[in-house]
Amino acid sequence: MYKNKKIVLVGDSAAGKTSIVTKYINDIFNPYLNSTIGAAFSSIRMVAKDGNTDTLEIWDTAGQERYRSLVPMYYREAAGAIIVYDVSVPDGLKKAHEWVKDVRQCAPQTIKIYIIGNKYDLLTPAKILETPHIKYSSGIPHYYASAKTGKNIKNIFLDLISDIPRQPTTVPVVPITTRYSLCC
Ligand code: G3D
Ligand code: MG
């Protein structure tokens, strides 16, 4: 038995975190989503690249300043962090790196971090030409994506889940004396 793999989505408000999760889980893009309050939880089973099935626990957090103090709570025992920024916002990638600092400070040291530049569909052909195609940003895997068109959404989750090693579940050890006392 293996532990579920806990993934947290963080990033500035309106970067598209909820839209990415909705696209991944339900394969729909809903342009009329309500903004997230606190965090939303979803669970899904998926087949990793090695053919084994993992259960993913996805925590979609709220980026607004007023909920920011809650975010470290969601980092606890997280195995992966998806940091989302909006490619159409100036300095989006720089802001994503502020979230990287946050994750490194509060999450387990072993956490796998991915940076996602969402809303790629909003870039004009001219803008696409001047946007550098980076695969890594300061050593962190970086993807351009679009929750609207679905670009890279499945790849992100598949790559991340396959990057996270499986951890056996710890079975609680029942002391022998306790076991005998139950029989009498
Ligand atoms: P958040 O969860 O990070 O706060 P949301 O962000 O998923 O709520 O999305 C914020 C806004 O961005 C929404 O629009 C949503 O439709 C839009 N959006 C999310 N992903 C994409 C994308 O890939 N492309 C485009 N074009 N828009 C996207 P509103 O208008 O409701 O604010
Ligand atoms: Mg949201």
PDB file of all heavy atoms in Angstrom, residues 74-109:
ATOM      1  N   TYR A  74      -1.622  23.957   3.948  1.00  0.00           N
ATOM      2  CA  TYR A  74      -1.832  23.000   2.856  1.00  0.00           C
ATOM      3  C   TYR A  74      -0.525  22.381   2.363  1.00  0.00           C
ATOM      4  O   TYR A  74      -0.533  21.397   1.651  1.00  0.00           O
ATOM      5  CB  TYR A  74      -2.590  23.670   1.697  1.00  0.00           C
ATOM      6  CG  TYR A  74      -3.913  24.198   2.162  1.00  0.00           C
ATOM      7  CD1 TYR A  74      -4.130  25.566   2.294  1.00  0.00           C
ATOM      8  CD2 TYR A  74      -4.934  23.329   2.533  1.00  0.00           C
ATOM      9  CE1 TYR A  74      -5.328  26.057   2.771  1.00  0.00           C
ATOM     10  CE2 TYR A  74      -6.133  23.803   3.009  1.00  0.00           C
ATOM     11  CZ  TYR A  74      -6.326  25.165   3.130  1.00  0.00           C
ATOM     12  OH  TYR A  74      -7.513  25.637   3.602  1.00  0.00           O
ATOM     13  N   TYR A  75       0.610  22.991   2.729  1.00  0.00           N
ATOM     14  CA  TYR A  75       1.902  22.437   2.312  1.00  0.00           C
ATOM     15  C   TYR A  75       2.267  21.193   3.118  1.00  0.00           C
ATOM     16  O   TYR A  75       3.115  20.427   2.698  1.00  0.00           O
ATOM     17  CB  TYR A  75       3.027  23.454   2.548  1.00  0.00           C
ATOM     18  CG  TYR A  75       3.015  24.675   1.644  1.00  0.00           C
ATOM     19  CD1 TYR A  75       3.386  25.925   2.123  1.00  0.00           C
ATOM     20  CD2 TYR A  75       2.671  24.570   0.301  1.00  0.00           C
ATOM     21  CE1 TYR A  75       3.408  27.040   1.307  1.00  0.00           C
ATOM     22  CE2 TYR A  75       2.690  25.684  -0.518  1.00  0.00           C
ATOM     23  CZ  TYR A  75       3.063  26.915  -0.011  1.00  0.00           C
ATOM     24  OH  TYR A  75       3.086  28.010  -0.813  1.00  0.00           O
ATOM     25  N   ARG A  76       1.635  21.029   4.280  1.00  0.00           N
ATOM     26  CA  ARG A  76       2.012  19.925   5.156  1.00  0.00           C
ATOM     27  C   ARG A  76       1.885  18.575   4.428  1.00  0.00           C
ATOM     28  O   ARG A  76       0.839  18.283   3.839  1.00  0.00           O
ATOM     29  CB  ARG A  76       1.114  19.940   6.409  1.00  0.00           C
ATOM     30  CG  ARG A  76       1.774  19.281   7.591  1.00  0.00           C
ATOM     31  CD  ARG A  76       0.954  19.467   8.847  1.00  0.00           C
ATOM     32  NE  ARG A  76       0.759  20.872   9.197  1.00  0.00           N
ATOM     33  CZ  ARG A  76      -0.343  21.377   9.735  1.00  0.00           C
ATOM     34  NH1 ARG A  76      -1.372  20.605   9.982  1.00  0.00           N
ATOM     35  NH2 ARG A  76      -0.413  22.663  10.027  1.00  0.00           N
ATOM     36  N   GLU A  77       2.961  17.819   4.423  1.00  0.00           N
ATOM     37  CA  GLU A  77       3.022  16.499   3.779  1.00  0.00           C
ATOM     38  C   GLU A  77       2.789  16.537   2.269  1.00  0.00           C
ATOM     39  O   GLU A  77       2.507  15.513   1.651  1.00  0.00           O
ATOM     40  CB  GLU A  77       2.046  15.511   4.427  1.00  0.00           C
ATOM     41  CG  GLU A  77       2.459  15.176   5.844  1.00  0.00           C
ATOM     42  CD  GLU A  77       1.727  13.978   6.401  1.00  0.00           C
ATOM     43  OE1 GLU A  77       1.429  13.043   5.655  1.00  0.00           O
ATOM     44  OE2 GLU A  77       1.474  14.004   7.611  1.00  0.00           O
ATOM     45  N   ALA A  78       2.898  17.725   1.673  1.00  0.00           N
ATOM     46  CA  ALA A  78       2.712  17.806   0.214  1.00  0.00           C
ATOM     47  C   ALA A  78       3.930  17.212  -0.480  1.00  0.00           C
ATOM     48  O   ALA A  78       5.066  17.397  -0.054  1.00  0.00           O
ATOM     49  CB  ALA A  78       2.516  19.248  -0.210  1.00  0.00           C
ATOM     50  N   ALA A  79       3.649  16.461  -1.546  1.00  0.00           N
ATOM     51  CA  ALA A  79       4.743  15.834  -2.296  1.00  0.00           C
ATOM     52  C   ALA A  79       5.062  16.640  -3.555  1.00  0.00           C
ATOM     53  O   ALA A  79       6.136  16.514  -4.128  1.00  0.00           O
ATOM     54  CB  ALA A  79       4.337  14.417  -2.674  1.00  0.00           C
ATOM     55  N   GLY A  80       4.092  17.454  -3.986  1.00  0.00           N
ATOM     56  CA  GLY A  80       4.294  18.258  -5.192  1.00  0.00           C
ATOM     57  C   GLY A  80       3.630  19.611  -5.086  1.00  0.00           C
ATOM     58  O   GLY A  80       2.606  19.747  -4.415  1.00  0.00           O
ATOM     59  N   ALA A  81       4.248  20.612  -5.717  1.00  0.00           N
ATOM     60  CA  ALA A  81       3.637  21.951  -5.754  1.00  0.00           C
ATOM     61  C   ALA A  81       3.608  22.427  -7.197  1.00  0.00           C
ATOM     62  O   ALA A  81       4.625  22.372  -7.895  1.00  0.00           O
ATOM     63  CB  ALA A  81       4.444  22.920  -4.902  1.00  0.00           C
ATOM     64  N   ILE A  82       2.421  22.850  -7.632  1.00  0.00           N
ATOM     65  CA  ILE A  82       2.278  23.433  -8.967  1.00  0.00           C
ATOM     66  C   ILE A  82       2.085  24.924  -8.758  1.00  0.00           C
ATOM     67  O   ILE A  82       1.093  25.355  -8.161  1.00  0.00           O
ATOM     68  CB  ILE A  82       1.080  22.800  -9.713  1.00  0.00           C
ATOM     69  CG1 ILE A  82       1.333  21.309  -9.961  1.00  0.00           C
ATOM     70  CG2 ILE A  82       0.807  23.532 -11.014  1.00  0.00           C
ATOM     71  CD1 ILE A  82       0.196  20.587 -10.685  1.00  0.00           C
ATOM     72  N   ILE A  83       3.067  25.700  -9.200  1.00  0.00           N
ATOM     73  CA  ILE A  83       3.001  27.150  -9.025  1.00  0.00           C
ATOM     74  C   ILE A  83       2.532  27.745 -10.348  1.00  0.00           C
ATOM     75  O   ILE A  83       3.178  27.559 -11.384  1.00  0.00           O
ATOM     76  CB  ILE A  83       4.378  27.707  -8.620  1.00  0.00           C
ATOM     77  CG1 ILE A  83       4.780  27.119  -7.269  1.00  0.00           C
ATOM     78  CG2 ILE A  83       4.363  29.231  -8.596  1.00  0.00           C
ATOM     79  CD1 ILE A  83       6.155  27.484  -6.785  1.00  0.00           C
ATOM     80  N   VAL A  84       1.379  28.404 -10.299  1.00  0.00           N
ATOM     81  CA  VAL A  84       0.767  28.899 -11.532  1.00  0.00           C
ATOM     82  C   VAL A  84       0.932  30.412 -11.632  1.00  0.00           C
ATOM     83  O   VAL A  84       0.708  31.126 -10.659  1.00  0.00           O
ATOM     84  CB  VAL A  84      -0.740  28.534 -11.577  1.00  0.00           C
ATOM     85  CG1 VAL A  84      -1.369  28.946 -12.902  1.00  0.00           C
ATOM     86  CG2 VAL A  84      -0.950  27.037 -11.334  1.00  0.00           C
ATOM     87  N   TYR A  85       1.341  30.885 -12.815  1.00  0.00           N
ATOM     88  CA  TYR A  85       1.310  32.319 -13.083  1.00  0.00           C
ATOM     89  C   TYR A  85       0.626  32.551 -14.419  1.00  0.00           C
ATOM     90  O   TYR A  85       0.458  31.625 -15.209  1.00  0.00           O
ATOM     91  CB  TYR A  85       2.725  32.933 -13.028  1.00  0.00           C
ATOM     92  CG  TYR A  85       3.620  32.606 -14.207  1.00  0.00           C
ATOM     93  CD1 TYR A  85       3.706  33.455 -15.308  1.00  0.00           C
ATOM     94  CD2 TYR A  85       4.388  31.444 -14.219  1.00  0.00           C
ATOM     95  CE1 TYR A  85       4.538  33.159 -16.390  1.00  0.00           C
ATOM     96  CE2 TYR A  85       5.219  31.155 -15.292  1.00  0.00           C
ATOM     97  CZ  TYR A  85       5.286  32.008 -16.380  1.00  0.00           C
ATOM     98  OH  TYR A  85       6.109  31.714 -17.443  1.00  0.00           O
ATOM     99  N   ASP A  86       0.222  33.795 -14.629  1.00  0.00           N
ATOM    100  CA  ASP A  86      -0.502  34.176 -15.842  1.00  0.00           C
ATOM    101  C   ASP A  86       0.511  34.765 -16.824  1.00  0.00           C
ATOM    102  O   ASP A  86       1.143  35.786 -16.531  1.00  0.00           O
ATOM    103  CB  ASP A  86      -1.564  35.220 -15.418  1.00  0.00           C
ATOM    104  CG  ASP A  86      -2.407  35.732 -16.564  1.00  0.00           C
ATOM    105  OD1 ASP A  86      -2.001  35.575 -17.721  1.00  0.00           O
ATOM    106  OD2 ASP A  86      -3.474  36.323 -16.284  1.00  0.00           O
ATOM    107  N   VAL A  87       0.672  34.119 -17.997  1.00  0.00           N
ATOM    108  CA  VAL A  87       1.688  34.592 -18.957  1.00  0.00           C
ATOM    109  C   VAL A  87       1.366  35.966 -19.527  1.00  0.00           C
ATOM    110  O   VAL A  87       2.244  36.637 -20.062  1.00  0.00           O
ATOM    111  CB  VAL A  87       1.888  33.623 -20.161  1.00  0.00           C
ATOM    112  CG1 VAL A  87       2.670  32.406 -19.783  1.00  0.00           C
ATOM    113  CG2 VAL A  87       0.587  33.288 -20.828  1.00  0.00           C
ATOM    114  N   SER A  88       0.084  36.381 -19.417  1.00  0.00           N
ATOM    115  CA  SER A  88      -0.285  37.675 -20.004  1.00  0.00           C
ATOM    116  C   SER A  88      -0.051  38.827 -19.020  1.00  0.00           C
ATOM    117  O   SER A  88      -0.303  39.981 -19.344  1.00  0.00           O
ATOM    118  CB  SER A  88      -1.748  37.650 -20.467  1.00  0.00           C
ATOM    119  OG  SER A  88      -2.602  37.546 -19.357  1.00  0.00           O
ATOM    120  N   VAL A  89       0.413  38.499 -17.822  1.00  0.00           N
ATOM    121  CA  VAL A  89       0.660  39.530 -16.811  1.00  0.00           C
ATOM    122  C   VAL A  89       2.167  39.841 -16.769  1.00  0.00           C
ATOM    123  O   VAL A  89       2.975  38.922 -16.683  1.00  0.00           O
ATOM    124  CB  VAL A  89       0.182  39.019 -15.423  1.00  0.00           C
ATOM    125  CG1 VAL A  89       0.736  39.839 -14.288  1.00  0.00           C
ATOM    126  CG2 VAL A  89      -1.330  38.974 -15.361  1.00  0.00           C
ATOM    127  N   PRO A  90       2.537  41.129 -16.864  1.00  0.00           N
ATOM    128  CA  PRO A  90       3.969  41.435 -16.789  1.00  0.00           C
ATOM    129  C   PRO A  90       4.543  40.947 -15.449  1.00  0.00           C
ATOM    130  O   PRO A  90       3.860  41.016 -14.424  1.00  0.00           O
ATOM    131  CB  PRO A  90       4.027  42.974 -16.878  1.00  0.00           C
ATOM    132  CG  PRO A  90       2.679  43.411 -17.317  1.00  0.00           C
ATOM    133  CD  PRO A  90       1.696  42.332 -16.984  1.00  0.00           C
ATOM    134  N   ASP A  91       5.750  40.452 -15.470  1.00  0.00           N
ATOM    135  CA  ASP A  91       6.415  39.954 -14.256  1.00  0.00           C
ATOM    136  C   ASP A  91       5.768  38.703 -13.671  1.00  0.00           C
ATOM    137  O   ASP A  91       5.997  38.368 -12.509  1.00  0.00           O
ATOM    138  CB  ASP A  91       6.441  41.026 -13.145  1.00  0.00           C
ATOM    139  CG  ASP A  91       7.498  42.077 -13.411  1.00  0.00           C
ATOM    140  OD1 ASP A  91       8.366  41.815 -14.266  1.00  0.00           O
ATOM    141  OD2 ASP A  91       7.450  43.131 -12.765  1.00  0.00           O
ATOM    142  N   GLY A  92       4.941  38.017 -14.462  1.00  0.00           N
ATOM    143  CA  GLY A  92       4.274  36.813 -13.955  1.00  0.00           C
ATOM    144  C   GLY A  92       5.271  35.775 -13.450  1.00  0.00           C
ATOM    145  O   GLY A  92       5.103  35.215 -12.363  1.00  0.00           O
ATOM    146  N   LEU A  93       6.336  35.557 -14.230  1.00  0.00           N
ATOM    147  CA  LEU A  93       7.315  34.532 -13.843  1.00  0.00           C
ATOM    148  C   LEU A  93       8.057  34.958 -12.573  1.00  0.00           C
ATOM    149  O   LEU A  93       8.345  34.125 -11.704  1.00  0.00           O
ATOM    150  CB  LEU A  93       8.296  34.284 -14.998  1.00  0.00           C
ATOM    151  CG  LEU A  93       9.330  33.182 -14.798  1.00  0.00           C
ATOM    152  CD1 LEU A  93       8.676  31.847 -14.444  1.00  0.00           C
ATOM    153  CD2 LEU A  93      10.199  33.007 -16.045  1.00  0.00           C
ATOM    154  N   LYS A  94       8.302  36.272 -12.461  1.00  0.00           N
ATOM    155  CA  LYS A  94       8.994  36.763 -11.255  1.00  0.00           C
ATOM    156  C   LYS A  94       8.122  36.495 -10.016  1.00  0.00           C
ATOM    157  O   LYS A  94       8.597  36.049  -8.979  1.00  0.00           O
ATOM    158  CB  LYS A  94       9.228  38.274 -11.424  1.00  0.00           C
ATOM    159  CG  LYS A  94      10.361  38.797 -10.612  1.00  0.00           C
ATOM    160  CD  LYS A  94      10.664  40.224 -11.014  1.00  0.00           C
ATOM    161  CE  LYS A  94      11.051  41.004  -9.780  1.00  0.00           C
ATOM    162  NZ  LYS A  94      10.926  42.440  -9.974  1.00  0.00           N
ATOM    163  N   LYS A  95       6.814  36.728 -10.192  1.00  0.00           N
ATOM    164  CA  LYS A  95       5.894  36.480  -9.069  1.00  0.00           C
ATOM    165  C   LYS A  95       5.853  34.985  -8.731  1.00  0.00           C
ATOM    166  O   LYS A  95       5.756  34.602  -7.571  1.00  0.00           O
ATOM    167  CB  LYS A  95       4.500  36.974  -9.415  1.00  0.00           C
ATOM    168  CG  LYS A  95       4.422  38.479  -9.397  1.00  0.00           C
ATOM    169  CD  LYS A  95       3.032  38.922  -9.721  1.00  0.00           C
ATOM    170  CE  LYS A  95       2.944  40.438  -9.710  1.00  0.00           C
ATOM    171  NZ  LYS A  95       1.695  40.901 -10.322  1.00  0.00           N
ATOM    172  N   ALA A  96       5.943  34.166  -9.760  1.00  0.00           N
ATOM    173  CA  ALA A  96       5.950  32.708  -9.515  1.00  0.00           C
ATOM    174  C   ALA A  96       7.141  32.355  -8.626  1.00  0.00           C
ATOM    175  O   ALA A  96       7.041  31.516  -7.736  1.00  0.00           O
ATOM    176  CB  ALA A  96       6.013  31.958 -10.833  1.00  0.00           C
ATOM    177  N   HIS A  97       8.272  33.036  -8.847  1.00  0.00           N
ATOM    178  CA  HIS A  97       9.458  32.725  -8.036  1.00  0.00           C
ATOM    179  C   HIS A  97       9.305  33.174  -6.584  1.00  0.00           C
ATOM    180  O   HIS A  97       9.951  32.614  -5.702  1.00  0.00           O
ATOM    181  CB  HIS A  97      10.724  33.259  -8.695  1.00  0.00           C
ATOM    182  CG  HIS A  97      11.223  32.310  -9.754  1.00  0.00           C
ATOM    183  ND1 HIS A  97      11.933  31.173  -9.443  1.00  0.00           N
ATOM    184  CD2 HIS A  97      11.026  32.294 -11.090  1.00  0.00           C
ATOM    185  CE1 HIS A  97      12.174  30.508 -10.559  1.00  0.00           C
ATOM    186  NE2 HIS A  97      11.638  31.163 -11.576  1.00  0.00           N
ATOM    187  N   GLU A  98       8.442  34.160  -6.347  1.00  0.00           N
ATOM    188  CA  GLU A  98       8.152  34.515  -4.938  1.00  0.00           C
ATOM    189  C   GLU A  98       7.414  33.359  -4.265  1.00  0.00           C
ATOM    190  O   GLU A  98       7.628  33.045  -3.102  1.00  0.00           O
ATOM    191  CB  GLU A  98       7.335  35.804  -4.863  1.00  0.00           C
ATOM    192  CG  GLU A  98       8.204  37.022  -5.161  1.00  0.00           C
ATOM    193  CD  GLU A  98       7.410  38.284  -5.405  1.00  0.00           C
ATOM    194  OE1 GLU A  98       6.243  38.360  -4.978  1.00  0.00           O
ATOM    195  OE2 GLU A  98       7.974  39.179  -6.049  1.00  0.00           O
ATOM    196  N   TRP A  99       6.554  32.693  -5.044  1.00  0.00           N
ATOM    197  CA  TRP A  99       5.847  31.520  -4.514  1.00  0.00           C
ATOM    198  C   TRP A  99       6.811  30.361  -4.302  1.00  0.00           C
ATOM    199  O   TRP A  99       6.637  29.561  -3.389  1.00  0.00           O
ATOM    200  CB  TRP A  99       4.693  31.119  -5.438  1.00  0.00           C
ATOM    201  CG  TRP A  99       3.500  32.020  -5.284  1.00  0.00           C
ATOM    202  CD1 TRP A  99       3.173  33.082  -6.080  1.00  0.00           C
ATOM    203  CD2 TRP A  99       2.501  31.960  -4.260  1.00  0.00           C
ATOM    204  NE1 TRP A  99       2.037  33.681  -5.611  1.00  0.00           N
ATOM    205  CE2 TRP A  99       1.593  33.010  -4.499  1.00  0.00           C
ATOM    206  CE3 TRP A  99       2.278  31.123  -3.172  1.00  0.00           C
ATOM    207  CZ2 TRP A  99       0.485  33.245  -3.681  1.00  0.00           C
ATOM    208  CZ3 TRP A  99       1.174  31.356  -2.358  1.00  0.00           C
ATOM    209  CH2 TRP A  99       0.296  32.403  -2.618  1.00  0.00           C
ATOM    210  N   VAL A 100       7.834  30.291  -5.156  1.00  0.00           N
ATOM    211  CA  VAL A 100       8.841  29.222  -4.978  1.00  0.00           C
ATOM    212  C   VAL A 100       9.486  29.379  -3.600  1.00  0.00           C
ATOM    213  O   VAL A 100       9.639  28.406  -2.852  1.00  0.00           O
ATOM    214  CB  VAL A 100       9.925  29.263  -6.087  1.00  0.00           C
ATOM    215  CG1 VAL A 100      11.060  28.294  -5.764  1.00  0.00           C
ATOM    216  CG2 VAL A 100       9.327  28.945  -7.449  1.00  0.00           C
ATOM    217  N   LYS A 101       9.827  30.633  -3.240  1.00  0.00           N
ATOM    218  CA  LYS A 101      10.451  30.885  -1.922  1.00  0.00           C
ATOM    219  C   LYS A 101       9.521  30.418  -0.809  1.00  0.00           C
ATOM    220  O   LYS A 101       9.932  29.790   0.159  1.00  0.00           O
ATOM    221  CB  LYS A 101      10.695  32.393  -1.745  1.00  0.00           C
ATOM    222  CG  LYS A 101      11.916  32.892  -2.456  1.00  0.00           C
ATOM    223  CD  LYS A 101      12.207  34.322  -1.994  1.00  0.00           C
ATOM    224  CE  LYS A 101      12.751  35.139  -3.140  1.00  0.00           C
ATOM    225  NZ  LYS A 101      12.449  36.569  -3.060  1.00  0.00           N
ATOM    226  N   ASP A 102       8.249  30.748  -0.980  1.00  0.00           N
ATOM    227  CA  ASP A 102       7.233  30.376  -0.003  1.00  0.00           C
ATOM    228  C   ASP A 102       7.167  28.855   0.186  1.00  0.00           C
ATOM    229  O   ASP A 102       7.159  28.352   1.308  1.00  0.00           O
ATOM    230  CB  ASP A 102       5.889  30.850  -0.593  1.00  0.00           C
ATOM    231  CG  ASP A 102       4.940  31.328   0.456  1.00  0.00           C
ATOM    232  OD1 ASP A 102       5.309  32.265   1.167  1.00  0.00           O
ATOM    233  OD2 ASP A 102       3.841  30.737   0.542  1.00  0.00           O
ATOM    234  N   VAL A 103       7.134  28.154  -0.937  1.00  0.00           N
ATOM    235  CA  VAL A 103       7.048  26.686  -0.896  1.00  0.00           C
ATOM    236  C   VAL A 103       8.296  26.128  -0.220  1.00  0.00           C
ATOM    237  O   VAL A 103       8.209  25.269   0.652  1.00  0.00           O
ATOM    238  CB  VAL A 103       6.897  26.101  -2.326  1.00  0.00           C
ATOM    239  CG1 VAL A 103       6.987  24.587  -2.307  1.00  0.00           C
ATOM    240  CG2 VAL A 103       5.586  26.539  -2.949  1.00  0.00           C
ATOM    241  N   ARG A 104       9.467  26.654  -0.609  1.00  0.00           N
ATOM    242  CA  ARG A 104      10.727  26.121  -0.050  1.00  0.00           C
ATOM    243  C   ARG A 104      10.799  26.351   1.452  1.00  0.00           C
ATOM    244  O   ARG A 104      11.377  25.563   2.182  1.00  0.00           O
ATOM    245  CB  ARG A 104      11.924  26.777  -0.743  1.00  0.00           C
ATOM    246  CG  ARG A 104      12.022  26.331  -2.189  1.00  0.00           C
ATOM    247  CD  ARG A 104      13.444  25.935  -2.559  1.00  0.00           C
ATOM    248  NE  ARG A 104      13.480  25.157  -3.781  1.00  0.00           N
ATOM    249  CZ  ARG A 104      13.917  25.609  -4.937  1.00  0.00           C
ATOM    250  NH1 ARG A 104      14.361  26.837  -5.043  1.00  0.00           N
ATOM    251  NH2 ARG A 104      13.920  24.819  -5.995  1.00  0.00           N
ATOM    252  N   GLN A 105      10.206  27.467   1.902  1.00  0.00           N
ATOM    253  CA  GLN A 105      10.240  27.801   3.322  1.00  0.00           C
ATOM    254  C   GLN A 105       9.304  26.913   4.136  1.00  0.00           C
ATOM    255  O   GLN A 105       9.631  26.515   5.244  1.00  0.00           O
ATOM    256  CB  GLN A 105       9.794  29.247   3.505  1.00  0.00           C
ATOM    257  CG  GLN A 105      10.814  30.106   4.207  1.00  0.00           C
ATOM    258  CD  GLN A 105      10.398  31.556   4.142  1.00  0.00           C
ATOM    259  OE1 GLN A 105       9.209  31.872   4.239  1.00  0.00           O
ATOM    260  NE2 GLN A 105      11.359  32.430   3.970  1.00  0.00           N
ATOM    261  N   CYS A 106       8.140  26.629   3.580  1.00  0.00           N
ATOM    262  CA  CYS A 106       7.078  26.006   4.392  1.00  0.00           C
ATOM    263  C   CYS A 106       6.794  24.545   4.083  1.00  0.00           C
ATOM    264  O   CYS A 106       6.190  23.864   4.909  1.00  0.00           O
ATOM    265  CB  CYS A 106       5.772  26.770   4.223  1.00  0.00           C
ATOM    266  SG  CYS A 106       5.949  28.504   4.559  1.00  0.00           S
ATOM    267  N   ALA A 107       7.181  24.070   2.911  1.00  0.00           N
ATOM    268  CA  ALA A 107       6.795  22.705   2.530  1.00  0.00           C
ATOM    269  C   ALA A 107       7.918  21.724   2.864  1.00  0.00           C
ATOM    270  O   ALA A 107       9.035  22.145   3.127  1.00  0.00           O
ATOM    271  CB  ALA A 107       6.499  22.680   1.038  1.00  0.00           C
ATOM    272  N   PRO A 108       7.636  20.416   2.837  1.00  0.00           N
ATOM    273  CA  PRO A 108       8.707  19.440   3.063  1.00  0.00           C
ATOM    274  C   PRO A 108       9.844  19.639   2.057  1.00  0.00           C
ATOM    275  O   PRO A 108       9.591  20.012   0.903  1.00  0.00           O
ATOM    276  CB  PRO A 108       7.999  18.100   2.827  1.00  0.00           C
ATOM    277  CG  PRO A 108       6.552  18.370   3.021  1.00  0.00           C
ATOM    278  CD  PRO A 108       6.317  19.785   2.629  1.00  0.00           C
ATOM    279  N   GLN A 109      11.081  19.398   2.511  1.00  0.00           N
ATOM    280  CA  GLN A 109      12.279  19.608   1.666  1.00  0.00           C
ATOM    281  C   GLN A 109      12.231  18.801   0.367  1.00  0.00           C
ATOM    282  O   GLN A 109      12.797  19.210  -0.636  1.00  0.00           O
ATOM    283  CB  GLN A 109      13.545  19.182   2.443  1.00  0.00           C
ATOM    284  CG  GLN A 109      13.848  20.025   3.662  1.00  0.00           C
ATOM    285  CD  GLN A 109      14.187  21.461   3.276  1.00  0.00           C
ATOM    286  OE1 GLN A 109      15.128  21.686   2.534  1.00  0.00           O
ATOM    287  NE2 GLN A 109      13.408  22.406   3.753  1.00  0.00           N
TER     288      GLN A 109
END
